[in-house]
Amino acid sequence: MISYLEFEKPVAELEQRIAELRSASEGDDVDISNELQRLELKSANLLASTYESLSPWQKTQVARHPSRPHFRDYVEHAFEEFVPLGGDRCYGDDEAILGGLAKLNGRKVVLIGHEKGNDTASRIRHNFGMGKPEGYRKAIRLMELAGRFGLPVVTLVDTSGAFPGIEAEERGQAEAIARSTEACLALPVPMVAAIVGEGGSGGAVALASAERVLMMEHAVYSVISPEGCASILWRTAERAPDAAEAMKVTAQDLESLGVIDRIVAEPVGGAHRDPRLAATTLGSAIGEELDKLGRFPSDELRRMREERFLALAG
């Protein structure tokens, strides 16, 4: 059952009418197929037009949709033979950041990403996708493994930010994020990062410092959440829509600014309406980018990353 967002109310009302009409017609001899077809077409057109003109704040809501596909969904629909590898060999295992060996269209890769969970229990277990130091150190270990065996690295970024709790700070959160970013930049193998939902702050950059950064059509990527920005600038989170507009958090804005390289189209109405299609589309895009990067030597890959981020800083 689809969970509708506030701006989708007209679509929800129309689809409810369709469901009621279909239910009422069961066992009835009256043919209402033409009316149903008309309403379904109207609903599809309304959904498409709504999603063609989303504001940055509305896109933020879509990126946070509770049914939006996460790491495990992409693994299921876009990758094969995933073998999870856990632990940072220092403290423990962090379930907010998952990773391991996988195949993408027959190509062996090291796959790393944030997992938010899909219900209350799993969201708590995965800490809502907010990585702790041991999660980023696990990512470093997997990237070093990729470099050692010559495997390309693919990361799926979906986090509101790294975990801000005191225990994370005690275990060196800032240092772990910095080391993970450094590990990305030093990789001797191709790396493709994809922002699939939220890309928040250093917790996202630590897995997204790649030579090619992709972004789902309705994902968002920013240094701070719109609510956090609004609280700082206007002393109220109610100005979050204004902050989202000013921060240029959307894929379309970030592509024009050169922060990301490619926008990956989502199914009409967002990735949550067809997770399988969203995953296979992203998988194909990642495969195309890996094909292009495969011809570059290690030194050239590092130079590309260096020039990319120096250009952003400048």
Side-chain angles (χ1 to χ4, degrees):
M1 185 175 180
I2 296 174
S3 175
Y4 292 95
L5 299 169
E6 183 67 25
F7 65 85
E8 294 178 308
K9 277 189 174 180
V11 177
E13 292 170 359
L14 192 52
E15 292 189 354
Q16 184 178 359
R17 282 174 56 196
I18 293 170
E20 290 172 352
L21 188 59
R22 185 176 285 116
S23 177
S25 68
E26 290 180 2
D28 200 329
D29 293 333
V30 179
D31 184 7
I32 60 168
S33 58
N34 289 337
E35 178 65 10
L36 276 174
Q37 188 175 13
R38 185 187 70 81
L39 289 175
E40 287 170 350
L41 180 61
K42 183 178 179 181
S43 175
N45 290 338
L46 180 58
L47 183 66
S49 63
T50 298
Y51 270 78
E52 283 174 359
S53 57
L54 295 182
S55 70
W57 178 240
Q58 289 170 334
K59 281 184 178 285
T60 302
Q61 293 174 286
V62 176
R64 295 171 176 173
H65 195 284
S67 299
R68 192 170 178 86
H70 301 305
F71 181 85
R72 291 189 181 278
D73 300 296
Y74 287 102
V75 168
E76 179 182 356
H77 299 307
F79 295 85
E80 309 95 38
E81 299 180 27
F82 178 64
V83 179
L85 299 174
D88 66 345
R89 303 299 187 266
C90 180
Y91 178 83
D93 190 33
D94 178 17
E95 292 200 64
I97 297 177
L98 304 179
L101 305 173
K103 284 185 178 181
L104 176 62
N105 299 324
R107 176 193 280 111
K108 295 179 181 178
V109 301
V110 169
L111 179 63
I112 308 168
H114 299 94
E115 173 58 57
K116 286 185 171 181
N118 55 15
D119 56 29
T120 301
S122 63
R123 285 172 188 139
I124 293 172
R125 184 172 74 253
H126 293 293
N127 202 32
F128 298 88
M130 296 186 291
K132 297 177 182 178
E134 51 270 25
Y136 292 103
R137 292 183 178 124
K138 172 168 62 177
I140 295 168
R141 184 173 71 83
L142 294 178
M143 284 188 267
E144 291 174 347
L145 182 73
R148 191 176 310 131
F149 291 99
L151 300 174
V153 174
V154 175
T155 59
L156 306 180
V157 177
D158 188 11
T159 181
S160 57
F163 184 60
I166 188 170
E167 64 268 35
E169 298 298 332
E170 288 173 343
R171 295 198 293 274
Q173 183 72 291
E175 185 267 350
I177 290 172
R179 294 288 186 187
S180 183
T181 306
E182 179 185 42
C184 292
L185 296 173
L187 271 173
V189 294
M191 180 179 182
V192 175
I195 316 298
V196 297
E198 285 186 278
S201 193
V205 173
L207 296 185
S209 298
E211 62 269 29
R212 295 292 291 176
V213 180
L214 282 54
M215 195 165 170
M216 297 298 285
E217 182 182 0
H218 301 306
V220 293
Y221 192 21
S222 62
V223 69
I224 190 173
S225 69
E227 296 93 330
C229 176
S231 295
I232 293 170
L233 293 181
W234 295 292
R235 307 296 181 186
T236 173
E238 293 180 1
R239 297 286 298 274
D242 297 322
E245 183 76 40
M247 291 165 63
K248 307 296 183 185
V249 300
T250 70
Q252 294 72 23
D253 286 331
L254 294 171
E255 184 184 40
S256 68
L257 293 170
V259 176
I260 66 164
D261 301 294
R262 177 174 175 177
I263 298 173
V264 180
E266 296 188 23
V268 176
H272 58 280
R273 279 187 164 79
D274 193 340
R276 181 184 293 275
L277 177 58
T280 54
T281 303
L282 178 62
S284 297
I286 292 172
E288 290 170 8
E289 298 301 332
L290 289 175
D291 287 339
K292 296 175 186 176
L293 295 172
R295 66 178 184 271
F296 293 106
S298 298
D299 290 345
E300 181 66 13
L301 292 172
R302 293 191 187 99
R303 186 190 64 79
M304 289 167 65
R305 292 184 205 119
E306 180 180 349
E307 289 183 352
R308 173 193 183 83
F309 289 96
L310 286 176
L312 292 178

